Amino acid sequence: MTIKGIEVPQVAFGTWQLSGEDCFNGTIYALKAGYRHIDTALAYQNEDVIGKAIKKYGIKREELFITTKIPADIKTYEGAKKAINTSLKNLDTPYLDMCLIHAPWPWSDVGGDYSDGNVEVWKALIEAQKEGLIRLIGVSNFHPKDIEYIVNKTNVWPVVNQIRYFVGNTQDEIVNYCKAHDIIIAAYSPLATGELVDNAIIKEVAKKYNTTPANICLSYVYTKGHILLSKSKTESRIIDNINNLFKLADEDMAYLDSLKHIASTRPLRS
Ligand SMILES: NC(=O)c1ccc[n+]([C@@H]2O[C@H](COP(=O)([O-])OP(=O)(O)OC[C@H]3O[C@@H](n4cnc5c(N)ncnc54)[C@H](OP(=O)(O)O)[C@@H]3O)[C@@H](O)[C@H]2O)c1
């Protein structure tokens, strides 16, 4: 897909909870399998390992799209500037393709009001974009009111909102708001962090297509047209998760749309 004239690969390799050898090998497997978008965060403490794996694989920088995030507990302009520079150093790159505010509140205070702090961080992102350090800027886990606040203060819209999104947890209010304002949805935890791969309802749909429940869940997000972030440390799954994607029939999409709360919907520390 293209955002503001910039090519953004729809399928991204997620790296939350990957560290050390799993992260290094996982990134190499992902690049070999054809992923050209990698999603990380300063808070994942794995940017340096990802940077090393990218160098080892030897891909040209411009052929890769890297997303990272400003930690959720950083809510000052200076703190955000420092975080951007740290991510650039960790990833050993002159620029980030996309940088997001990880969440509108620190994970220790989910739902707390940090509106003015978010404006500070947003200003640092706007500045870094002007300086050419970041190509696209966005948010994550933001509700419409959080987005409205930063836009009202800066007049700059985020281009992406990365949210927890999977079959039965489609966050329609946020998605509709984002669609109306040309904000692309990036769907994280499309397998509900693994919870959905053994789900009995999804298994029935998988049978019909002679595929796996995991592939149904990932293909559901793919069919919706959102950015798809899936994580695995297992080479065969990393390969399957990008190569087996397909467009589900309308009737099956409608059925999957009708399912509610088939896995935990709470925001997880990430
Ligand atoms: N912005 C945010 O706040 C936020 C929050 C959460 C996640 N994210 C991003 O979204 C990415 C994906 O979300 P997630 O890490 O929660 O997980 P996920 O992709 O929903 O699920 C990953 C889990 O499913 C397993 N799995 C993967 N492919 C499978 C397959 N084909 N068959 C069976 N099991 C499979 C993995 O196991 P193995 O690894 O053992 O193979 C792992 O346990 C993250 O890595 C991160 O980049 C962002």
Side-chain angles (χ1 to χ4, degrees), residues 122-187:
W122 192 234
K123 282 181 178 166
L125 284 170
I126 293 168
E127 205 55 45
Q129 188 181 37
K130 280 189 191 142
E131 289 167 17
L133 300 177
I134 307 173
R135 299 171 80 204
L136 296 171
I137 57 175
V139 295
S140 177
N141 298 296
F142 268 48
H143 282 263
K145 66 171 173 32
D146 304 315
I147 296 175
E148 244 144 43
Y149 198 88
I150 59 168
V151 173
N152 283 339
K153 298 281 179 185
T154 62
N155 224 5
V156 178
W157 285 85
V159 294
V160 162
N161 190 10
Q162 187 181 121
I163 58 171
R164 188 165 159 87
Y165 184 104
F166 46 78
V167 177
N169 181 45
T170 49
Q171 307 224 48
D172 297 343
E173 188 197 336
I174 298 178
V175 171
N176 290 337
Y177 175 87
C178 288
K179 267 194 187 145
H181 294 91
D182 289 330
I183 300 168
I184 300 290
I185 294 293

Side-chain angles (χ1 to χ4, degrees), residues 12-18 38-41 44 69 100-103 107 139-141 162-164 166 187-195 197 212-215 218 229-238 240-241 268-270:
F13 179 60
T15 64
W16 176 41
Q17 294 181 312
L18 281 179
I38 296 179
D39 181 80
T40 181
Y44 299 169
K69 314 181 193 89
L100 313 175
I101 304 181
H102 205 140
W107 294 102
V139 295
S140 177
N141 298 296
Q162 187 181 121
I163 58 171
R164 188 165 159 87
F166 46 78
Y188 78 66
S189 304
L191 303 175
T193 317
E195 257 187 79
V197 300
T212 61
N215 190 34
L218 300 176
L229 307 147
S230 77
K231 172 265 173 187
S232 175
K233 63 178 183 211
T234 316
E235 185 170 18
S236 58
R237 290 174 174 172
I238 291 172
D240 287 351
N241 291 353
L268 302 174
R269 189 188 176 92
S270 59

Side-chain angles (χ1 to χ4, degrees), residues 9-29:
Q10 187 187 356
V11 184
F13 179 60
T15 64
W16 176 41
Q17 294 181 312
L18 281 179
S19 61
E21 226 170 84
D22 281 342
C23 183
F24 186 84
N25 293 337
T27 306
I28 302 262
Y29 299 149

